[in-house]
Amino acid sequence: MSITPRPPIPSFIPESAPFTVEQRTWLNGLFAGLFGLQESVTPLSNAEAAKLLGGLIDGAALPAPAEAEDDGADDGAPWHDPAMPMPDRMKLAEGRPLPRRLMAAMAQQDCSQCGYNCKDYADALFAKSEKRLNLCVPGGKETSRMLKQLYQELDAAPAAAPAAATPTVAEQPKPALAAPGRSRDNPVYATFLSRRRLNKPGSEKETWHIEIDLAGTDLDYVVGDSFGIFPANDPVLVSSVLAALDVPADFPIGDRTFREVLTDGVSLSPAPDMLFELISYLTGGERRQKAKRLAAGDDPDGDAAKLDVLAALHKFPGIRPDPEAFIEALDPLQPRVYSISSSLTSNPGRVSLTVDAVRYEIDKRTRLGVCSTFVGGRVAASDRIRVYVQKAQHFALPDDPSKPIIMIGPGTGIAPFRAFLHERQAIKAPGRNWLFFGHQRSDHDFFYEDELVAMRTAGFLTRLTLAWSRDSKEKIYVQHRMREVGRDLWSWINDGAHIYVCGDALRMAKDVETALTDIVAEHGRLPPADAAGFVAELKASDRYQADVY
Ligand SMILES: Cc1cc2nc3c(=O)[nH]c(=O)nc-3n(C[C@H](O)[C@H](O)[C@H](O)COP(=O)(O)OP(=O)(O)OC[C@H]3O[C@@H](n4cnc5c(N)ncnc54)[C@H](O)[C@@H]3O)c2cc1C
Ligand SMILES: NC(=O)c1ccc[n+]([C@@H]2O[C@H](COP(=O)([O-])OP(=O)(O)OC[C@H]3O[C@@H](n4cnc5c(N)ncnc54)[C@H](OP(=O)(O)O)[C@@H]3O)[C@@H](O)[C@H]2O)c1
């Protein structure tokens, strides 16, 4: 059955106005909301649009609105794009109320690793119900520095709550501790079962299929959810830090030893500003100036990006901080989340993950992604690990199992789609399934090849479209394959398909969205702005969902 697509959002903003497609789509959406959705509209002139926007539209930046009375939650958050650099995000948020600028400082992935989405984390900081400024793992130091800067403004301002009609998440009383294993603040212990390498020998990648036993945890999940893991640092790295500080491993820190706290209590990855601050108190002369500059975010020797905690100690050899002060100066070790790649319906009591082990070399030392190498190497069968289920907010199978689904997941992006397929197979969902998978080389990096080929042969996986980026001279990515079969994709979309993308947030997800928009424009015969509006509508109606990192 062919379903007529919903009308795209009409164009109020002229094509010549100096906005990106996303900004134009957002503004069109705003005006559509203000005027009511009309099927035929006359685009506003630049002058009319400028008047409505309360600013100059032709070239000059829009004037900063006065600190608004509302919390700006309806402003569409045009900075909410994980591929947009921080300065551009902050520029777009300029003049907005503080909670909105706090939000713009986040990595915009809505990845829930902090325990919130970007907006709710910002609101919680504004309401001071959350004090930790370093929870945004993908934003790293750049985000925590900007939050620190903005927080000073908050400290200086007289206490005022945002005057929204309904209380924001942050204003609501802090909920009681979540049920065990349902939040990063209340993890439970599960049993690590096994790891199996998904790449064949000769691959440049190291990706693991991980199995974890949930017995005794009371945990359950639905496909689309993610799984949080509290890692432990590499013991070799911990020993090197102990040696650089010349402190005995059993030095007591509260009721634990120094080694224990260094192992699972603090991050040994990017050296935080506080550590340089501490170092600046313990050294003098030029070294002190350098440490002070590093603490302020400067890069006096052009090596700041390479300085993990050990490299920082090697850069300032001989400093002997008090062990407790040293621990205080470090960031807490954060959990990492992984898309669940199994279905409880077909694999009761278990959860599986698909994890790419992060290892890279800097100055002849191999640096390790703390959690991916923990599950991809250090943890052993039967070990108990601290975990929790992170509920997905907008990433789920359609309620109607007869709806077709299109899944685009290169690399580890395949994880939730393996779960979707297992679930739909187990419940005998009649809807058609189309998977786009891609990776470096077909001979080495075809994850879950046997299962996927069997599903395809059985006809359950209606289509399997593969893109190998390093099999030929020319890079072939999933979005190239999408364009090749654009007509069929458009036909599935017309049939009500739900579209999903998972994997790299910075480049792939953006390129996939561009390809999808171009396909809608070409095969739906829509002008580019309307095609972008159509895709925005797909998103708004949860028919285009992303799980990107
Ligand atoms: C919702 C969600 C779902 C996810 N699902 C998955 C999944 O299914 N599978 C998966 O593998 N991951 C997934 N991730 C990513 C995962 O959470 C971790 O971010 C990832 O495993 C890296 O964590 P780590 O602790 O190993 O590395 P970290 O210790 O956090 O180190 C990673 C950091 O190292 C640096 N780095 C990495 N490579 C290099 C390099 N070559 N040169 C210099 N610096 C470098 C970068 O700063 C990078 O941010 C997901 C993330 C989210 C938010
Ligand atoms: N920060 C970075 O530079 C970087 C780079 C890679 C991965 N990552 C991260 O590492 C983690 C795991 O990665 P992964 O193992 O899932 O796979 P991945 O390294 O992201 O690669 C999966 C496939 O996607 C291809 N790819 C690269 N750029 C693409 C683009 N713009 N559009 C579509 N496909 C693209 C890759 O090709 P080629 O590699 O041959 O180009 C490869 O074939 C993710 O968190 C990812 O974000 C970060």
Side-chain angles (χ1 to χ4, degrees):
M1 187 180 62
S2 178
I3 296 169
T4 313
R6 288 181 66 169
I9 294 171
S11 287
F12 293 87
I13 298 298
E15 289 278 329
S16 58
F19 296 113
T20 63
V21 172
E22 284 85 0
Q23 288 165 333
R24 194 176 297 113
T25 305
W26 172 73
L27 287 166
N28 280 329
L30 176 73
F31 289 138
L34 286 174
F35 299 149
L37 247 176
Q38 306 157 18
E39 289 228 11
S40 82
V41 289
T42 314
L44 302 173
S45 68
N46 273 356
E48 286 166 331
K51 201 169 160 203
L52 269 169
L53 288 167
L56 298 171
I57 206 165
D58 45 19
L62 296 172
E67 193 81 0
E69 294 226 316
D70 64 81
D71 75 346
D74 293 330
D75 60 13
W79 53 80
H80 196 48
D81 173 355
M84 192 183 286
M86 169 81 84
D88 297 356
R89 297 202 305 270
M90 296 317 295
K91 183 98 196 127
L92 279 175
E94 218 169 74
R96 301 295 314 167
L98 189 54
R100 308 305 281 159
R101 283 179 285 137
L102 286 163
M103 179 191 172
M106 310 298 176
Q108 311 303 317
Q109 291 186 14
D110 277 343
C111 66
S112 326
Q113 290 189 97
C114 58
Y116 307 85
N117 61 31
C118 299
K119 177 184 179 299
D120 291 345
Y121 182 23
D123 287 350
L125 289 175
F126 183 68
K128 298 195 174 177
S129 59
E130 175 60 78
K131 298 269 167 56
R132 296 167 293 179
L133 300 180
N134 50 11
L135 294 183
C136 181
V137 172
K141 277 168 82 162
E142 192 184 34
T143 291
S144 57
R145 275 192 192 124
M146 181 55 74
L147 292 180
K148 213 161 132 191
Q149 195 179 314
L150 293 169
Y151 209 74
Q152 281 170 359
E153 229 177 280
L154 183 59
D155 272 345
T166 49
T168 63
V169 170
E171 288 168 330
Q172 291 158 8
K174 215 172 165 38
L177 203 57
R182 305 288 169 174
S183 123
R184 56 175 278 154
D185 293 327
N186 196 8
V188 294
Y189 281 93
T191 308
F192 184 86
L193 287 176
S194 62
R195 73 175 72 83
R196 168 171 63 86
R197 180 109 185 244
L198 290 169
N199 331 80
K200 298 204 179 75
S203 172
E204 288 177 40
K205 285 289 207 174
E206 183 195 323
T207 312
W208 297 94
H209 177 76
I210 305 291
E211 290 273 341
I212 294 165
D213 188 355
L214 298 177
T217 64
D218 279 343
L219 278 187
D220 58 10
Y221 60 86
V222 294
V223 293
D225 289 347
S226 301
F227 201 66
I229 296 185
F230 281 82
N233 286 310
D234 172 30
V236 177
L237 179 62
V238 170
S239 296
S240 304
V241 170
L242 285 167
L245 291 167
D246 197 19
V247 175
D250 60 358
F251 187 95
I253 304 277
D255 55 4
R256 306 192 76 205
T257 67
F258 196 31
R259 174 181 277 283
E260 284 168 345
V261 178
L262 286 176
T263 299
D264 62 16
V266 290
S267 166
L268 298 180
S269 295
D273 297 343
M274 285 273 285
L275 177 62
F276 293 116
E277 192 105 24
L278 176 67
I279 291 173
S280 76
Y281 300 138
L282 301 170
T283 186
E286 199 195 334
R287 282 172 25 120
R288 178 171 195 192
Q289 291 314 314
K290 272 192 183 164
K292 273 179 115 73
R293 287 186 59 195
L294 282 161
D298 290 347
D299 192 1
D301 297 327
D303 59 355
K306 299 186 196 173
L307 299 175
D308 66 353
V309 169
L310 182 60
L313 294 176
H314 287 161
K315 187 175 173 74
F316 297 94
I319 63 142
R320 293 290 174 264
D322 169 72
E324 292 208 25
F326 179 73
I327 293 294
E328 281 294 310
L330 301 183
D331 285 335
L333 186 53
Q334 309 254 23
R336 305 289 192 265
V337 298
Y338 295 91
S339 310
I340 290 175
S341 60
S342 54
S343 144
L344 267 185
T345 318
S346 63
N347 200 9
R350 298 260 184 106
V351 66
S352 82
L353 311 173
T354 306
V355 178
D356 180 60
V358 175
R359 298 178 203 273
Y360 54 97
E361 190 137 313
I362 293 184
D363 294 339
K364 299 198 177 124
R365 174 157 64 88
T366 302
R367 307 285 177 97
L368 305 176
V370 59
C371 194
S372 58
T373 59
F374 173 67
V375 292
R378 295 192 292 283
V379 73
S382 306
D383 280 357
R384 309 274 287 156
I385 57 174
R386 279 195 306 155
V387 303
Y388 61 97
V389 169
Q390 179 70 54
K391 293 306 287 174
Q393 293 201 9
H394 288 279
F395 198 78
L397 280 170
D399 291 337
D400 177 354
S402 69
K403 291 277 181 211
I405 58 171
I406 299 166
M407 299 161 282
I408 304 149
T412 52
I414 195 172
F417 304 139
R418 178 180 186 264
F420 280 14
L421 288 169
H422 280 214
E423 176 74 9
R424 298 247 291 190
Q425 200 168 36
I427 63 168
K428 299 193 170 37
R432 288 172 291 153
N433 305 294
W434 187 348
L435 175 67
F436 287 81
F437 173 69
H439 215 325
Q440 294 184 355
R441 294 180 182 85
S442 54
D443 284 347
H444 302 302
D445 306 304
F446 193 168
F447 301 163
Y448 306 112
E449 178 176 2
D450 294 350
E451 300 183 6
L452 294 175
V453 169
M455 285 177 182
R456 176 76 193 93
T457 309
F460 166 69
L461 182 52
T462 322
R463 292 187 72 161
L464 174 61
T465 304
L466 302 167
W468 305 110
S469 57
R470 302 192 191 182
D471 269 1
S472 58
K473 258 196 195 153
E474 188 196 356
K475 289 257 181 198
I476 310 274
Y477 289 154
V478 281
Q479 62 270 24
H480 300 131
R481 294 294 187 221
M482 288 169 66
R483 288 175 190 278
E484 287 167 11
V485 292
R487 183 182 301 278
D488 295 350
L489 273 174
W490 175 244
S491 154
W492 278 53
I493 292 169
N494 259 338
D495 290 346
H498 287 229
I499 307 164
Y500 302 88
V501 59
C502 180
D504 175 54
L506 293 184
R507 300 158 305 151
M508 184 277 295
K510 188 125 187 125
D511 293 349
V512 162
E513 182 166 335
T514 305
L516 182 67
T517 309
D518 291 348
I519 288 165
V520 169
E522 184 184 344
H523 298 283
R525 297 178 191 201
L526 291 173
D530 290 353
F534 182 86
V535 171
E537 273 290 290
L538 285 177
K539 282 187 189 170
S541 57
D542 269 349
R543 271 186 58 198
Y544 180 27
Q545 302 185 358
D547 179 22
V548 294
Y549 41 91

